[in-house]
Amino acid sequence: MKLAIWTYEGPPHVGAMRVATGMKDLHMVLHAPQGDTYADLLFTMIERRNHRPPVSYTTFQARDLGADTAGLFKTACQDAHARFAPQALLVAASCTAELIQDDPGGLAETMGLPVPVIPLELPSYQRKENFGADEAFVQLARALARPMERTARVSCNILGPTALGFRHRDDVAEISALLEEMGIAVNVTAPMGASPADIARLGAAHFNVLLYPETGESAARWLEREHGQPWTRTIPIGARATRDFIAEVRTLSGSTAPVDDTRLRQPWWAASVDSTYLTGKRVFIFGDGTHAMAAARVARDEMGFEVCGIGCYNREQARPVRALAREFGLEALITDDYLEVERAIDTAQPEMILGTQMERHIGKRLGIPCAVISAPVHVQDFPARYAPQMGFEGANVLFDTWVHPLVMGLEEHLLHMFREDFEFRDEAGPSHHGGHAPRARTTPEESALAAKAASADGGSMPPADEPAAQHPAPAMGDNVIWLACAERELKKIPFFVRGKARRNTEKFAAQKGLGEISVDTLYEAKAHYAR
Amino acid sequence: MTTPTTGCRNTPVLRERGQREVFCGLTGIIWLHRKMQDAFFLVVGSRTCAHLLQSAAGVMIFAEPRFGTAILEEKDLAGMADAHAELDREVARLLARRPDIRQLFLVGSCPSEVIKLDLSKAAERLSAEHAPHVRVLNYSGSGIETTFTEGEDACLAAMVPALAATEARELLLVGALPDVVEDQALDLLARLGIGPVRCLPARRADDAPAIGPNTVFALTQPFLGATHDALTRHGARPIEAPFPFGAEGTTLWLKAVAAEFGIAPERVDEVTAAPRARAEKAIAAAAQTLRGKRIFFMPDSQLEIPLARFLTRECGMEAVEIGTPWLHGPIHGPELDLIAQGPVISEGQDVDLQLDRVRAARPDLTVCGLGLANPLEAEGLATKWAIELVFTPVHFYEQAGDLAALFARPLRRRAALSGLAPHLEAAE
């Protein structure tokens, strides 16, 4: 057993639902107890879909267990077929149905439905959401994709976008337009927007564009093996990666058509003098493997940040993330425990976090600016406006999204500089953190209290290998005394680096064996840690 | 208001079985843990359970959650003995980290029920181990046994056998109400001279009520069938009354309680005149929007019948169908007596068939879950999502206007936006 409050990923059947909901004319029958329909609201609320996910649940109850859950499943399949007349049926079991050991695939096979029935094996107690999506997609391809002639015009498939995918809608639009510009037709985009009949046509493409390895890599590999289609390895997130992607596509397609990049503003925005202050900003990056790796490259090579931490929650991507981290001189954090992520962030004391919805909240708690780069995300990251992450417009979006909280940070700095003025109060907190921001902490006692509160907050869950007593406490504050003048001086430092300044100064004082911290100590420490 | 000559108590009930679009009882944890301030709810279940709690708790999961999931792993399914050792270890870790916890609920889920993990035995064992500081209790919030608010019922029913015995004549209010509402209720009862009054659940373990043959209890929520039965088994006696929704419901509820304590209805009218007038005025504002509108309830929380009573009698709405996950005769009966004949009363669900009925009836307002709300809006049907009715303070006089407004708002919004045709592209 493993204690969890927050989970980065849902169970694998939710991944399969993401595939089914992304597609058209496909229906899924899920053998699941009453209550598992909660997953519908992820699609109708977070993604704001205007239709019910094409999923029927058997919703068995306790009284059914002794009787005929298999019969219930068959009835659900029949009803779903009769009502929705899909081109194909996906059948699967949720975690509870896995335990009662009805065999959805076998049961559906005996029914003789006039459409293909594709059974999914979803090991709910070992694997998670992304696996479920990847597996559902590859099984659909295996069952439906037929060998066929390549299209006369050079074409490709776009693989991986699903329902509930972070910016999948606009990434597909951006990359489709880019391919079109290069003279390459998009044969099928799948799973999102495809019907089973479209899946059958996957083999007609000359090559595949894999946008999201998490949800499409198995299908890309299978299509390479069975249909001889090569696939793109570059994820076109960021200006450089987009150019690399274009080069890779040229190699695969022979396209020589020029690409108009005049609307790409990100490189100039980053080069302009206003961006100089971004140099060396320390960022901590966490998310799914694909987005975290892409973000790390953009952060270092296109924004001039220093990446001080990188990790992912999906262990399927652990190997490439570890390799990239080594390239950055870091050790990758591969975990699905948000408390571990919180500790890593607290230790690294970054000036900015690029992460998921969860890291946004960690940032809020620690008073560190944060931008969201990866699922899981909440409703505000399924925006009405066009907001791709990929391609040239995606690069523009990334620049704005990442810099925005920092500009706000500078604004706060100015507010703090002028905080003695009657208009400003130190307690107001950063404007972009709303009313939830921790109040600026001024004394060691206060900050000790706050740290205790934060650890209590974050965690009803003690870390597995760490006794409660060892939980990070502002230990040095206890034996080093801050003189009032130094404390006042510390207050003048912008809130978003104040924690780091306090910590560094105390570390410096401890190293020097100083019992108290004066204004001089503060500035000596600053000089000592200057970079 | 008068009782209709013929209510719905004897109306034949449409009982359906099929796909149910409802939450499981685990969801009850989301509001229960806010109410019981020194309790922790530990679900023993799968990643799906953790994901459900996260989806239902939304942003609350980051605040100060006193709930979590012990996620079953492959190795827990392989051998049963191991599972208990694993659970003991996780509980010990949890309690070491959270010394403020006085009550720990081991909450059963579908997976733990299906593998027949004996959580009641685990609760006994852990109670002995962590006594006297922490009491460990057990109930099931699994989808196979409980629907949404029934999770609270299962939780409270599990607490009843552990309550101390008393011979005192006390009133027990049963059902987790928001603190502000509970305070109002206690104040009204005090002004009527009724006391002492205890609450189940109490805000803290130390304030837990005692029960005995002289205890009388009044339910404040309609979904407490098992708790009702458990209290009765332990000698307490129920006060039968409609539920305190709206000015009329609150007054009738207070009168029933007052009668038990020998207080005349006229005295209740006297004491409650001012808040009742306030409530009626506030309801009247929202009722302008609601009067004559047709409403359809899909099953969700068991609040549907009392709310339909409030909306038809005090807001002038017409009920087309009142769906409830479960219908308890003794509990819902007094409510059904007050609803004029006409609406279909349905218990259980076959969601596709019920949606066919919604589409055929085209009601002005459909009360449903979040999985159905946006799809129905896209079909041009106004909806009110039901979960809000469980989280928002809606009981008693001061909230009566807010309660009516919850139903009026979607209709007002629809009217306000009607100048701009909704742009309903498929989201993808």
Side-chain angles (χ1 to χ4, degrees):
Chain A
M1 274 178 214
K2 184 170 179 352
L3 230 42
I5 297 172
W6 171 267
T7 60
Y8 283 96
E9 289 182 76
H13 71 257
V14 168
M17 286 179 70
R18 287 176 52 188
V19 168
T21 306
M23 288 182 60
K24 294 184 188 348
D25 300 322
L26 174 76
H27 202 84
M28 176 165 161
V29 177
L30 189 67
H31 203 15
Q34 165 176 278
D36 278 5
T37 51
Y38 82 88
D40 282 1
L41 68 87
L42 303 173
F43 300 94
T44 59
M45 297 306 291
I46 295 180
E47 203 176 7
R48 277 187 240 250
R49 283 190 176 256
N50 59 9
H51 57 88
R52 293 171 64 208
V55 182
S56 296
Y57 304 79
T58 54
T59 52
F60 55 82
Q61 293 172 260
R63 60 183 172 197
D64 303 316
L65 284 179
D68 189 18
T69 51
L72 215 57
F73 177 78
K74 285 185 167 185
T75 312
C77 286
Q78 253 143 13
D79 289 354
H81 180 261
R83 180 173 281 268
F84 301 104
Q87 293 173 9
L89 207 59
L90 275 181
V91 297
S94 80
C95 52
T96 305
E98 193 182 334
L99 297 172
I100 61 175
Q101 296 181 334
D102 292 332
D103 169 22
L107 290 169
E109 207 175 310
T110 61
M111 297 174 60
L113 292 171
V115 294
V117 176
I118 301 145
L120 298 178
E121 287 294 330
L122 302 173
S124 308
Y125 297 91
Q126 294 159 301
R127 310 302 297 263
K128 291 179 257 180
E129 180 177 330
N130 281 326
F131 168 85
D134 188 67
E135 177 68 9
F137 184 27
V138 73
Q139 292 307 334
L140 275 164
R142 293 173 75 109
L144 302 173
R146 297 279 157 264
M148 53 179 69
E149 291 277 301
R150 298 281 195 253
T151 53
R153 185 180 159 199
V154 176
S155 68
C156 67
N157 300 312
I158 293 180
L159 304 182
T162 64
L164 218 63
F166 176 61
R167 307 297 167 86
H168 287 196
R169 177 195 69 192
D170 297 341
D171 284 349
V172 166
E174 186 69 16
I175 296 305
S176 301
L178 178 65
L179 291 165
E180 191 58 43
E181 201 179 344
M182 295 176 74
I184 299 158
V186 174
N187 179 51
V188 173
T189 299
M192 191 160 78
S195 66
D198 294 326
I199 301 289
R201 300 190 290 113
L202 282 173
H206 294 240
F207 67 101
N208 287 318
V209 166
L210 175 63
L211 290 190
Y212 308 102
E214 274 83 0
T215 50
E217 187 165 333
S218 294
R221 289 185 184 281
W222 182 81
L223 286 166
E224 180 179 46
R225 209 164 52 237
E226 298 297 319
H227 294 263
Q229 292 167 330
W231 48 284
T232 54
R233 260 59 172 187
T234 315
I235 307 301
I237 297 179
R240 284 179 178 226
T242 301
R243 293 194 201 288
D244 292 348
F245 173 80
I246 291 168
E248 193 180 4
V249 168
R250 286 199 207 284
T251 314
L252 292 178
S253 65
S255 160
T256 53
V259 171
D260 175 20
D261 63 0
T262 49
R263 69 205 168 89
L264 173 63
R265 286 176 285 271
Q266 182 269 335
W268 164 241
W269 252 243
S272 74
V273 292
D274 196 42
S275 298
T276 313
Y277 80 96
L278 300 177
T279 314
K281 282 246 180 274
R282 303 172 69 254
V283 295
F284 188 99
I285 299 172
F286 196 83
D288 67 43
T290 297
H291 285 90
M293 288 189 287
R297 293 196 180 97
V298 172
R300 182 187 61 184
D301 303 334
E302 300 180 35
M303 304 292 280
F305 293 148
E306 179 195 333
V307 177
C308 67
I310 177 170
C312 72
Y313 57 78
N314 51 337
R315 64 169 190 219
E316 291 90 347
Q317 297 286 325
R319 195 176 295 172
V321 171
R322 285 206 178 93
L324 185 75
R326 272 195 298 279
E327 192 191 303
F328 278 68
L330 296 166
E331 193 181 335
L333 175 68
I334 312 294
T335 180
D336 62 355
D337 180 350
Y338 78 94
L339 290 174
E340 261 185 67
V341 179
E342 188 175 73
R343 273 196 298 279
I345 290 174
D346 204 18
T347 309
Q349 283 286 316
E351 289 157 276
M352 183 182 195
I353 306 167
L354 300 175
T356 71
Q357 184 65 15
M358 191 56 212
E359 283 69 45
R360 204 168 67 80
H361 286 273
I362 293 173
K364 219 182 245 181
R365 186 177 297 146
L366 300 176
I368 302 170
C370 179
V372 171
I373 57 156
S374 157
V377 293
H378 205 40
V379 63
Q380 69 267 35
D381 275 302
F382 283 90
R385 68 174 190 280
Y386 186 58
Q389 300 286 289
M390 293 183 173
F392 293 142
E393 186 56 25
N396 295 338
V397 169
L398 288 186
F399 183 88
D400 288 348
T401 309
W402 297 6
V403 168
H404 178 82
L406 291 174
V407 169
M408 301 300 280
L410 271 197
E411 196 178 283
E412 290 304 322
H413 174 45
L414 295 176
L415 287 180
H416 278 277
M417 279 174 58
F418 296 115
R419 78 188 180 288
E420 304 298 335
D421 295 9
F422 69 92
E423 287 97 338
F424 304 114
R425 293 171 298 113
D426 205 28
E427 292 76 25
S431 57
H432 61 298
H433 287 158
H436 310 290
R439 195 168 63 79
R441 285 159 203 155
T442 45
T443 66
E445 296 74 51
E446 259 184 33
S447 103
L449 275 177
K452 262 182 211 147
S455 58
D457 247 15
S460 25
M461 300 299 115
D465 46 2
E466 190 185 10
Q470 269 179 29
H471 204 73
M476 284 175 292
D478 295 343
N479 42 34
V480 183
I481 295 160
W482 282 79
L483 297 177
C485 55
E487 194 67 53
R488 271 198 307 276
E489 198 68 15
L490 184 68
K491 268 207 242 174
K492 297 176 188 169
I493 295 171
F495 76 94
F496 51 87
V497 286
R498 201 177 299 153
K500 192 173 71 167
R502 178 185 289 283
R503 183 175 293 222
N504 281 350
T505 309
E506 287 169 357
K507 202 157 96 188
F508 178 78
Q511 276 168 11
K512 299 277 165 191
L514 299 173
E516 51 184 42
I517 292 170
S518 65
V519 176
D520 283 339
T521 324
L522 183 65
Y523 284 113
E524 278 162 24
K526 184 172 186 296
H528 180 78
Y529 289 105
R531 50 161 200 267
Chain B
M1 300 265 177
T2 53
T3 309
T5 44
T6 43
C8 288
R9 195 192 279 251
N10 296 317
T11 301
V13 174
L14 173 64
R15 291 204 164 78
E16 277 189 317
R17 291 195 56 187
Q19 180 180 327
R20 286 177 150 222
E21 187 86 17
V22 289
F23 280 129
C24 65
L26 294 182
T27 339
I29 292 170
I30 308 295
W31 65 87
L32 278 174
H33 90 284
R34 305 300 303 172
K35 186 72 201 174
M36 295 187 242
Q37 294 165 14
D38 50 9
F40 192 100
F41 294 81
L42 179 63
V43 177
V44 181
S46 64
R47 176 168 300 281
T48 310
C49 307
H51 196 234
L52 159 83
L53 282 179
Q54 173 174 326
S55 308
V59 88
M60 198 194 281
I61 202 146
F62 305 105
E64 190 194 340
R66 274 177 289 101
F67 57 85
T69 309
I71 296 184
L72 293 164
E73 295 172 298
E74 198 71 15
K75 61 177 193 283
D76 300 309
L77 303 176
M80 293 296 300
D82 194 35
H84 285 278
E86 293 264 315
L87 185 60
D88 290 2
R89 190 197 62 219
E90 293 298 332
V91 166
R93 262 176 68 200
L94 175 66
L95 293 177
R97 174 66 189 267
R98 298 294 298 264
D100 53 320
I101 298 304
R102 302 286 316 280
Q103 312 177 69
L104 176 67
F105 289 94
L106 300 179
V107 188
S109 65
C110 300
S112 74
E113 295 295 325
V114 165
I115 62 170
K116 306 222 184 309
L117 191 55
D118 192 344
L119 290 181
S120 64
K121 193 178 269 177
E124 270 176 38
R125 185 180 65 239
L126 287 162
S127 253
E129 193 174 320
H130 297 280
H133 186 67
V134 184
R135 168 138 49 190
V136 185
L137 295 170
N138 147 256
Y139 72 92
S140 171
S142 72
I144 56 178
E145 293 155 300
T146 58
T147 304
F148 194 29
T149 47
E150 274 188 294
E152 174 173 333
D153 189 25
C155 174
L156 301 191
M159 294 171 78
V160 170
L163 297 178
T166 178
E167 293 294 315
R169 176 164 166 78
E170 291 179 340
L171 173 63
L172 187 58
L173 292 193
V174 186
L177 294 175
D179 287 352
V180 56
V181 177
E182 190 176 284
D183 290 342
Q184 288 168 14
L186 293 173
D187 180 55
L188 284 166
L189 292 166
R191 278 163 43 202
L192 286 167
I194 297 168
V197 185
R198 313 274 181 226
C199 297
L200 181 70
R203 295 182 200 185
R204 311 198 71 88
D206 289 340
D207 303 331
I211 55 165
N214 297 315
T215 308
V216 287
F217 69 90
L219 301 183
T220 58
Q221 299 280 24
F223 43 73
L224 298 172
T227 310
H228 174 281
D229 295 348
L231 286 166
T232 311
R233 271 200 306 279
H234 283 77
R237 195 161 44 77
I239 299 171
E240 207 174 271
F243 291 91
F245 297 108
E248 184 194 29
T250 305
T251 307
L252 289 174
W253 186 89
L254 284 169
K255 281 183 178 170
V257 175
E260 169 67 33
F261 286 82
I263 296 160
E266 294 74 28
R267 174 72 188 140
V268 176
D269 286 333
E270 213 174 281
V271 169
T272 61
R276 202 170 66 238
R278 274 202 299 274
E280 281 164 0
K281 190 175 164 212
I283 292 167
Q288 286 180 349
T289 313
L290 297 174
R291 185 154 297 116
K293 298 287 196 300
R294 296 160 67 245
I295 188 163
F296 194 115
F297 286 89
M298 300 194 82
D300 195 56
S301 61
Q302 298 183 39
L303 292 167
E304 296 84 4
I305 289 172
L307 290 176
R309 182 261 303 158
F310 163 67
L311 292 167
T312 53
R313 291 173 64 88
E314 296 187 56
C315 302
M317 294 190 89
E318 182 197 331
V320 179
E321 174 168 336
I322 310 169
T324 178
W326 304 108
L327 190 66
H328 298 281
I331 294 177
H332 294 125
E335 293 284 356
L336 288 171
D337 286 338
L338 294 171
I339 300 174
Q341 281 191 354
V344 173
I345 311 287
S346 65
E347 182 189 34
Q349 188 176 38
D350 183 320
V351 72
D352 286 312
L353 296 182
Q354 194 171 39
L355 283 170
D356 288 345
R357 295 200 295 278
V358 170
R359 291 176 185 126
R362 292 204 71 78
D364 296 299
L365 191 63
T366 305
V367 182
C368 62
L370 290 172
L372 299 171
N374 271 338
L376 286 175
E377 291 279 350
E379 292 182 29
L381 292 160
T383 61
K384 166 75 212 98
W385 46 284
I387 302 157
E388 197 177 5
L389 301 161
V390 179
F391 289 108
T392 314
V394 293
H395 293 70
F396 291 95
Y397 292 124
E398 310 304 342
Q399 285 67 239
D402 302 341
L403 177 58
L406 284 178
F407 293 89
R409 194 172 303 126
L411 296 174
R412 282 175 38 226
R413 180 165 185 79
R414 211 168 175 76
L417 300 185
S418 60
L420 184 67
H423 188 59
L424 294 172
E425 256 178 44
E428 61 192 14

